[in-house]
Structure formats: structure tokens, C-alpha cells
Amino acid sequence: MSRRKCIALIAHDEKKDDMADFAQRNEKVLAQAKIVATGTTGGKVLEACPGLDVTRLKSGPLGGDQQIGALIATGEVDVLIFFVDPLTPMPHDVDVKALMRLAIVYDIPMALNRATAEHLLDFAAD
């Protein structure tokens, strides 16, 4: 028996509402997966889609990015969707780069914007 896919969701502050909207529009596909999310992002997603299986970790700057990185390194995350805001300064930029590096090293699909995330979920639904 195969396990459900695990999708990690992260969104910078200015992209959290966009992530919640994305989750609502893709709720049927996301409902087939286990979701891990950084704290505030996970809260926004759960507000929008209370029926989803979302495990909320710490806030990104407080270690949530590293928690998701650890899950990637142990093979527990299959897809990373990280809505990045390129127009806002990131005080924890080093953490963000480390997370993206792990996704690349462990060769998991990674979307950094909504357009790419939509394509990843299209493939996941097939």
C-alpha cells in the first residue's frame, strides 16, 4: 500500500492570502495529500479549507523552514510549494535559501509561484 503524498506549503507574509486562495481552488487535489505547513501559512490554509489534513509547524522565522527542511531530508516531503514575495525584504533569507537548497539536493518538485504550483498539482492529480 502506498502512502499519501506529502505537500509542504509555505508563504511569505504578503503571499499568505494567495496561498489560502490557492488551497481553496485546489482543495480536491490537496485533500488527497498530507500537508505540512509553517505556522501562520497553515493557519490561513485551515481557515480557508478546514477539511484538509494540515500539520502546522513553527512559524518560518522561528524554525518552521528548518522543520520542513528536515522533513525533506528524511524523505517525508514529496512536493514543496513556497509562495515567495520577491519585493519584500526577508530577515530570515538564509533559512529560505537553505530550504530551497534541500529541495534541490533531494530532487523534489518545488514551486515558488502560483503558476508553477498549479502545474505541479495538475501532474499530481493525474
Side-chain angles (χ1 to χ4, degrees):
M1 187 166 110
S2 64
R3 70 173 176 82
R4 288 191 306 163
K5 297 274 187 207
C6 180
I7 300 173
L9 301 178
I10 308 171
H12 284 145
D13 288 344
E14 297 301 318
K15 297 290 186 175
K16 290 190 190 312
D17 288 337
D18 192 29
M19 180 64 81
D21 183 64
F22 169 80
Q24 270 187 317
R25 290 176 184 268
N26 294 284
E27 189 169 3
K28 285 183 182 178
V29 175
L30 292 172
Q32 298 171 26
K34 177 182 190 304
I35 298 167
V36 293
T38 50
T40 312
T41 300
K44 286 276 194 180
V45 168
L46 279 172
E47 282 176 25
C49 307
L52 291 180
D53 177 12
V54 178
T55 300
R56 291 176 64 193
L57 305 172
K58 292 184 181 288
S59 170
L62 298 178
D65 294 336
Q66 284 89 350
Q67 286 179 299
I68 289 178
L71 293 171
I72 290 170
T74 57
E76 296 173 61
V77 170
D78 301 295
V79 174
L80 172 62
I81 298 175
F82 191 164
F83 286 0
V84 175
D85 179 10
L87 303 177
T88 303
M90 293 177 273
H92 64 294
D93 185 50
V94 174
D95 301 330
V96 173
K97 286 180 181 173
L99 179 62
M100 289 192 286
R101 179 184 170 278
L102 284 170
I104 294 165
V105 167
Y106 287 94
D107 199 26
I108 67 163
M110 173 176 53
L112 300 178
N113 62 29
R114 189 176 186 134
T116 308
E118 296 282 352
H119 283 291
L120 278 181
L121 288 188
D122 284 346
F123 288 118
D126 291 340

